[in-house]
Amino acid sequence: MPTSVTNLALLGFCILQVMSLLVPQANARAFLVFGDSLVDNGNNDFLATTARADNYPYGIDFPTHRPTGRFSNGLNIPDLISEHLGQESPMPYLSPMLKKDKLLRGANFASAGIGILNDTGIQFLNIIRITKQLEYFEQYKVRVSGLVGEEEMNRLVNGALVLITLGGNDFVNNYYLVPFSARSRQFSLPDYVVFIISEYRKVLRKMYDLGARRVLVTGTGPMGCVPAELAQRSRNGECATELQRAASLFNPQLVQMITDLNNEVGSSAFIAANTQQMHMDFISDPQAYGFVTSKVACCGQGPYNGIGLCTPLSNLCPNRDLFAFWDPFHPSEKASRIIAQQILNGSPEYMHPMNLSTILTVDSMT
């Protein structure tokens, strides 16, 4: 008899232990990431696509010193936000390792090459377009419900921090991809911006309808200043005028759309991150931030190391911390740290209506 009691007690203890693993800790917060290569942390490694970062020297400064699918020499912005939250970075949604307690910490749905529009990045073939990322989000909710029940799932999703980064590819890999592209024949630039902002609004509203209540929305960076565009469009190292014009049209309209959407839903659900200004700070004055250059990529070839992809045969700088750009399109880990710091603590010029530190403080009191 005592043995059976002991066994029952042991079984009860084991069940409690398993349940404690499956119910998110009170101070933990799920982190959900959507978007393109600026925030992809490996989904495309599971897909038949050319938009991959699975070769050396990608990941050279990552803790494992191996490529992870991040378009960085090391950590990217979701990693750095997770670092601040004191949590592991959410895993790629397509990873077979994403299950049980890892699923409750969130997921990264991002996929390099995608845009707001489904015809953006068609040259990359098999990528997870934003409509599909939202389908995966719905699937994620079902999987979490299966672990902790629907009520707890809704609490987890409503309380999650969400990051979405879209827009740059709709210009670089669509409107300006080739001369006389289909979209540039269909729309003047101002009309195209109005169109993609209206499409982006639908995406954000769908996220809200699926339960997202704290969404960081980054604008595009200064697209005309990346090494890839300098190599193709710049004569003397000045930023490419047309792409800078596109960014200067898109970003203010994004902020206005977010303000309107917040008014519509009656809360500050959406937060606009002025990543254009965050980048321009160190692009305009790289030395002030410890960089030797903001024009030449660390890894690449051709003018400004801006031609083609970063491969094992590319030029590679010995000290990545001295370069604002890691490859022809993406910031180095050090530059990403500067951006992440502004997301956390930036003034209203950078974060509207509030920065992430304020969000975390406000949410901790509710």
Side-chain angles (χ1 to χ4, degrees), residues 37 53 58 70-73 226-228 295-300 304-306 308-310 324-332:
S37 59
Y58 284 100
R70 291 165 174 81
F71 286 75
S72 173
N73 57 301
V226 301
K295 297 183 188 299
V296 181
C298 168
C299 181
Y304 307 101
N305 277 345
L309 303 170
C310 171
F325 285 95
W326 156 245
D327 70 7
F329 284 105
H330 303 98
S332 62

Side-chain angles (χ1 to χ4, degrees), residues 74-89:
L75 303 178
N76 63 11
I77 288 167
D79 295 322
L80 298 167
I81 291 174
S82 296
E83 195 178 83
H84 179 82
L85 296 174
Q87 301 172 191
E88 287 180 33
S89 204

Side-chain angles (χ1 to χ4, degrees), residues 124 242 298 352:
F124 300 125
E242 266 300 285
C298 168
H352 179 80

Side-chain angles (χ1 to χ4, degrees), residues 81-303:
I81 291 174
S82 296
E83 195 178 83
H84 179 82
L85 296 174
Q87 301 172 191
E88 287 180 33
S89 204
M91 295 184 72
Y93 188 68
L94 297 186
S95 170
M97 307 295 289
L98 182 65
K99 50 191 176 185
K100 296 187 179 173
D101 59 313
K102 288 186 170 64
L103 205 59
L104 304 181
R105 294 178 198 149
N108 187 318
F109 303 91
S111 178
I114 72 139
I116 297 162
L117 305 181
N118 283 337
D119 57 285
T120 290
I122 51 171
Q123 71 274 28
F124 300 125
L125 304 175
N126 191 21
I127 50 180
I128 315 169
R129 306 191 188 286
I130 192 59
T131 47
K132 188 66 177 177
Q133 289 184 30
L134 292 176
E135 283 177 30
Y136 281 150
F137 182 22
E138 293 186 69
Q139 189 183 89
Y140 168 84
K141 290 173 63 180
V142 172
R143 291 174 67 188
V144 171
S145 284
L147 287 173
V148 296
E150 189 169 357
E151 189 178 333
E152 183 63 26
M153 176 277 290
N154 284 327
R155 191 198 68 77
L156 180 145
V157 169
N158 290 163
L161 180 66
V162 182
L163 172 67
I164 183 165
T165 295
L166 284 177
N169 284 324
D170 293 288
F171 298 101
V172 172
N173 282 307
N174 192 330
Y175 195 86
Y176 290 110
L177 179 62
V178 291
F180 311 109
S181 68
R183 289 296 190 185
S184 68
R185 292 197 308 273
Q186 182 184 8
F187 291 106
S188 67
L189 178 62
D191 289 345
Y192 182 66
V193 170
V194 169
F195 172 60
I196 61 175
I197 290 286
S198 69
E199 292 299 301
Y200 203 176
R201 184 190 174 105
K202 294 173 191 173
V203 169
L204 296 179
R205 180 69 216 210
K206 174 76 170 173
M207 293 182 90
Y208 184 87
D209 292 343
L210 289 172
R213 293 294 180 269
R214 280 296 192 205
V215 186
L216 300 173
V217 185
T218 68
T220 72
M223 298 175 287
C225 303
V226 301
E229 299 304 332
L230 297 184
Q232 291 178 55
R233 303 172 191 271
S234 177
R235 290 184 178 179
N236 301 306
E238 74 286 356
C239 298
T241 310
E242 266 300 285
L243 278 156
Q244 288 301 90
R245 180 171 166 244
S248 68
L249 286 169
F250 177 86
N251 288 310
Q253 289 185 48
L254 178 64
V255 174
Q256 185 58 54
M257 180 265 279
I258 286 169
T259 302
D260 294 344
L261 205 47
N262 282 337
N263 289 336
E264 184 180 297
V265 301
S267 69
S268 296
F270 300 97
I271 313 295
N274 185 351
T275 38
Q276 181 178 19
Q277 188 55 51
M278 294 175 193
H279 279 84
M280 281 313 296
D281 288 348
F282 58 75
I283 285 172
S284 303
D285 190 1
Q287 285 73 26
Y289 293 85
F291 299 120
V292 295
T293 178
S294 60
K295 297 183 188 299
V296 181
C298 168
C299 181
Q301 45 280 312

